[in-house]
Amino acid sequence: MKIDLFDTHKHDYLLELTCDSSDIGVENDEIYTIEGPVTVTLHIQRNGDVARLSSTVHAVVKLECARCLEEFTCDVDGEFTIVARRLRKGEIVRKSEDTADIDDDEEDLVLLDYDTNDIDITENVHDTLLLEIPLKSVCSDDCRGLCPACGHNLNEGECGCTRTGSDPRWNALSDIGGQ
């Protein structure tokens, strides 16, 4: 997913891109399935040979609830920022000087050759999307889960089980507590 930064006369503009999840290397998994396209919105601000890309990534993901095991979809949104600086012909790069005013935790600094106009953001989109997919998700905050005795989905109503008894596997621990 290459973006042309320096071959335009615009200095402050929005760009919206849509791609398939496989285009950015995100394959469906046992934990999640990407539903539909991935949308990337870029706010590009350019000043001379420096361009700042403030980006948001959006996708709809199908997940399985960790409590009731039902499938549900949710929106996944993430952000990343890149500062790209095109080097001048013959310029020598000194890492400490070029990155002194950039906060490493918030932005990536990319140095481009003097004759390069574009930047590849595929890896940034890939990483941002994967980092925002929850590993353990619930379909709703009030999800009641499954009955530990019979496995009935408690969101659909009570099952009628008596869940007051303890698991017999824990009986050995109650004998230790009595000593």
Side-chain angles (χ1 to χ4, degrees):
M1 183 175 279
K2 289 192 175 193
I3 308 299
D4 193 348
L5 297 175
F6 298 105
D7 206 23
T8 180
H9 298 293
K10 299 177 184 176
H11 294 283
D12 190 356
Y13 57 101
L14 287 174
L15 183 62
E16 188 167 307
L17 306 170
T18 303
C19 66
D20 190 45
S21 60
S22 62
D23 295 339
I24 57 171
V26 176
E27 301 298 329
N28 292 333
D29 191 282
E30 294 175 3
I31 299 172
Y32 62 85
T33 303
I34 306 294
E35 298 283 310
V38 176
T39 305
V40 181
T41 305
L42 299 161
H43 179 207
I44 301 170
Q45 298 169 306
R46 199 181 90 217
N47 185 7
D49 286 335
V50 178
R52 178 185 171 97
L53 288 81
S54 301
S55 309
T56 59
V57 179
H58 173 80
V60 177
V61 180
K62 185 190 297 183
L63 300 163
E64 183 177 87
C65 179
R67 292 182 191 162
C68 68
L69 304 180
E70 295 291 325
E71 287 187 342
F72 70 100
T73 59
C74 71
D75 291 332
V76 173
D77 296 297
E79 299 177 353
F80 68 91
T81 302
I82 298 173
V83 175
R85 186 168 85 71
R86 189 165 51 180
L87 299 172
R88 290 176 212 87
K89 189 172 183 175
E91 181 178 2
I92 298 173
V93 177
R94 292 185 188 95
K95 178 88 171 145
S96 60
E97 291 176 14
D98 289 332
T99 61
D101 59 342
I102 304 296
D103 185 0
D104 290 335
D105 293 336
E106 293 182 14
E107 302 171 339
D108 286 331
L109 176 65
V110 178
L111 298 175
L112 303 171
D113 289 333
Y114 71 93
D115 59 348
T116 302
N117 289 331
D118 56 8
I119 185 171
D120 189 356
I121 63 168
T122 305
E123 186 175 327
N124 300 84
V125 174
H126 171 271
D127 294 349
T128 300
L129 183 60
L130 288 184
L131 286 172
E132 294 299 324
I133 295 174
L135 294 176
K136 190 172 187 178
S137 55
V138 293
C139 56
S140 69
D141 290 336
D142 58 345
C143 177
R144 297 178 60 207
L146 301 176
C147 171
C150 70
H152 176 73
N153 186 345
L154 297 174
N155 295 320
E156 297 171 358
E158 289 298 322
C159 59
C161 288
T162 56
R163 293 175 284 220
T164 57
S166 65
D167 189 333
R169 296 174 289 183
W170 296 103
N171 289 343
L173 289 177
S174 64
D175 294 340
I176 295 172
Q179 296 178 0

